[in-house]
Amino acid sequence: MQSTSKPELETILYRPRWTCARRKGYLTDYTHPIIMMNVLVVDVGGTNVKLLATGQQIVRKLATGPLFSPDQMISGIQNLTNDWQYDAVSIGYPGPVIRGRIAVDPHNLGPGWQGFDFEAAFKRPVKIINDAAMQALGGYVAGKMLFIGLGTGLGSAMIVEGTVLPLELAHLPYKKGTFEDYVGLRGLKRLGKKKWRGNVADVIKRLVAALLPDEVLLGGGNLKVLKQLPSGCRAGDNSNAIAGGFRLWEESRETALAEHRAKS
């Protein structure tokens, strides 16, 4: 049975790095976000929820688990952030999100996520996006970028000239299974590091040939297992998901709040 005790606080230092970026002839201010409101970023994972608000530098963590529900998350966030001020919320969700709504409950958390009214629970405007797409947005510079997350499964997203395109590539057929079977955590454990690295390189080569990105951004907890990055790839930063959550609200405060009031 999952504990109902007050969630523990775990912190890591987060220092936003919003600097103008140059790459392959591009000069962009996309890395200079103009956030017209205080935003709370909620990055939902299988082991913890990471939290950061505008003006803060310490990421706070809420432990999750296989029975973790959205009600528990709301309660835990309220306990951990009662000294923070925020006007809007970004949620990175570990599963498919269609038109800003959770499509299915996650495999590694409890039930009740699909159809949950986060705006009513937070009493603030909320944007929900797939967690891989949020991480991709945080690491985006310019042009057409493919993001691949090497974690428990295989996260994926594309960004084309600033427009986020969530993808679900993990379950496409590959060899005797799917991409996720060979480059996810199960594949790493079953095949060992050497064969897993070869599969990662092969999968990325196939996806690049099909999608023709300008570059590939790699992220996820198993990125560190690679000895070297495949050609045309760069490594993402651990803070990319949080940065992506802030970028979701690069719009006027008045417009967002007006939309929220219209829904209420």
Side-chain angles (χ1 to χ4, degrees), residues 210-223:
L211 300 173
L212 302 175
D214 297 324
E215 68 166 351
V216 179
L217 177 68
L218 299 181
N222 291 330
L223 176 60

Side-chain angles (χ1 to χ4, degrees), residues 4 21 28 33 56 62 65 67 84-85 91 105 118 127 146 152-153 157 161 167 209-210 212 215 220 234 239:
T4 57
T28 177
Q56 304 295 323
L62 173 66
L67 300 179
W84 287 356
Q85 301 295 320
I91 299 177
D105 284 344
F118 288 96
K127 290 188 177 184
L146 171 65
T152 304
E161 301 301 338
L167 302 174
L212 302 175
E215 68 166 351
R234 63 181 171 92
S239 63

Side-chain angles (χ1 to χ4, degrees), residues 197 200-201 218 223 225-231:
R197 290 175 185 135
V200 168
L218 299 181
L223 176 60
V225 180
L226 294 177
K227 282 188 174 182
Q228 62 183 26
L229 297 179
S231 176

